[in-house]
Every structure is written in C-alpha cells, then in structure tokens.
Amino acid sequence: MQRRNFIKDSGLCLAGLTILQDLHNLTKIDDHRKEGVVIATWNNQKAVEAAWKVLQENGSALNAVEEGARVPEADEKDTSVGYGGYPDREGIVTLDASIMDHEGNAGSVFFLQGIKHPISVARLVMEKTPHVYLAGEGARLFAIENGFKEENLLSEGSNKEYQEWKKKNNYSPVIGPKVHDTIGILAIDKETRLSGACSTSGLAFKMHGRVGDSPIIGSGLYVDNMIGAASATGLGEAVIKKVGSFSIVEMMRTGHSPKKACKKAIERLLDIKGPKDFQVGYIALSKEGEVGAYSLQPNFPYVVIREGKFELKYANSYF
Ligand code: GLY
C-alpha cells in the first residue's frame, strides 16, 4: 500500500514538475518569440529569409524549416546540398536529410538518389509512414509514389570537379571549412513551436553508400519542444560518434545556454583522432528563442533572423 502511495505521489510530483517547467517556459517568452526566430548553418541567407517569410505569414516552424532547407537543395551552386551536390566516388549524387517537429515527430531519408528535395521526402516519411528512416531505393520509390520527379542531380560544375578529382583519385575523407556546407536550420514560430531540418549531399567524393550524421536523429538534428533544438555540420563521422545534436539539447536541459552547450559538445570531439584535421560546427536554439553556435575550427559562419533583422555571424571556435 505504502509503495503504491509512494509511486502515486512520485507520479504526481513528476506531473507537477512538468507543469512547473511549462509555466517557467511560458513566463520566459521574450520579444524574439513574438515573431519567431530562425538560425541556419553557414551563410544560408536565402534559406533563413525563406523560413522567416513563412513565419511572418503565420506559418509553422515546421513549414519554415522545410522551406528554408529547400533553398540550397535547389541551388546548383551549393555543392554540398541537393541538386549540384558533389557526387560520390562513383559519380553518383546521394542525399541525406532529416526533419523534426514540435511534437517530437521525426523523419529521415538516407542515400536518396535522383530526387532534388530530400527534406520534403523526409517530411513525408514523418507524416505518412509509421517509420522514421527510409533509405536508398525504398526512399526513392516512396518519393516517386508520392509525386516527386526523378531528375539528374549531377550538375555540369560538380561533374567537372568530379572528373578532376578522378584524375588524382586521392580519396581523403577530411572536411575543410570551405568544402562543406550542410544546411542545418532551426526555427521557433509565433506559437513557440520548435522544428528543425538538416539536408546534405555528404562528403565530396565519398565511398558509395556512405551516410553521414545529417539524417541520423540526435546526431545531425535534434528537437525537444520543451528545451530547444540543435543541428550539426562538418565531418559526419565525428558528429555521429558523439551524438552531437542530442547531447547539446540535453546540456541545454541542464541549464546551459545554446552557445555553452554547443561549446561543450565541440569539446567532446577532442578525443577523436586528429581533431585539428576536421571541422564540426554546431548551432542551437532554445525554447526561449536564444541562439548559439560553436565550431572546432575557426571561420564557421551561421545566420540568424529575429525581429526581422538578418545577421551573419561567426561562431567562436576551439582552435
Ligand atoms: N555533415 C554532413 C556529412 O558528414 O555528411
């Protein structure tokens, strides 16, 4: 009996704590959140502007991050995302993407070929299937069944670079700040719903079949509507080993600011071999609308829009 009462009381306590946490979050609503906030990796100005437009038209954070990620996916000049992305070592463009909404729903596609907007396929996986991950041929067929057009994603420019690479064939899975710009994009809307999206063509000239962190929930992207959201860019293998985005949100849960949580997550990479030779950048957004970022190497830009003001910032870095 006593044990039962104890369990009942603990349950009530937990429910009480949850309500208190909710109240705490609600009372911390600040000006940023009246209009929403958007943050994205690298200089993805057009992406955050597209997301911001959705928020200003009273759209959801989910619609905003999807719209935002679609911008570099369609941009031929962006050689790390979607159409125009560098191919793998066989000359095939393979795409990874993930999306999460404010209810903790998640969808991802891995190793998707011939479909320009993997982020929208990931959203359909989330909304139309009982699953979280669809990979390769299954993901492609699912996209086609749902009306996506098949296209050649290898642009003339990326093919030219690939032909040059093939001459030397020096496969080296190292990401420098210049050669990689996966988009991670996070938003909070006027109703304080958080969502995030992450999309990439992965490492340039990677092994056929290689998948990075971007489609892996908790690594390339994580959203907890009570706490905040985080996303990653850079060497996926390093991010996966440390479950980067999830760890940032968990550190925010313990009270760290988005920037401090990103910094601590970067410091966790240091025991990976050769931390001077690769780049990882993290961005984060709290439920209160506070943003932060941190990177391993210098020169990691990120972009933010709040209160209608666009800012291009450079993250502090460990090295
Ligand atoms: N961060 C993207 C990738 O490693 O594929």
Side-chain angles (χ1 to χ4, degrees), residues 175-194:
I175 291 183
K178 276 195 184 150
V179 297
H180 204 273
D181 50 5
T182 295
I183 182 164
I185 179 165
L186 311 171
I188 187 163
D189 62 29
K190 293 177 183 177
E191 292 180 33
T192 72
R193 294 172 296 201
L194 277 165

Side-chain angles (χ1 to χ4, degrees), residues 51-117:
W52 181 255
K53 188 164 175 281
V54 173
L55 295 184
Q56 297 325 293
E57 289 164 357
N58 295 322
S60 65
L62 181 63
N63 285 346
V65 294
E66 182 188 3
E67 273 313 305
R70 285 173 64 94
V71 172
E73 283 182 347
D75 181 357
E76 175 177 346
K77 291 200 185 75
D78 190 320
T79 53
S80 301
V81 184
Y83 171 58
Y86 284 137
D88 65 15
R89 60 201 302 180
E90 313 301 328
I92 301 166
V93 179
T94 74
L95 306 177
D96 302 329
S98 62
I99 196 159
M100 280 190 83
D101 72 9
H102 65 288
E103 291 179 329
N105 296 308
S108 296
V109 287
F110 293 51
F111 192 58
L112 177 65
Q113 293 171 44
I115 307 288
K116 192 192 266 178
H117 289 298

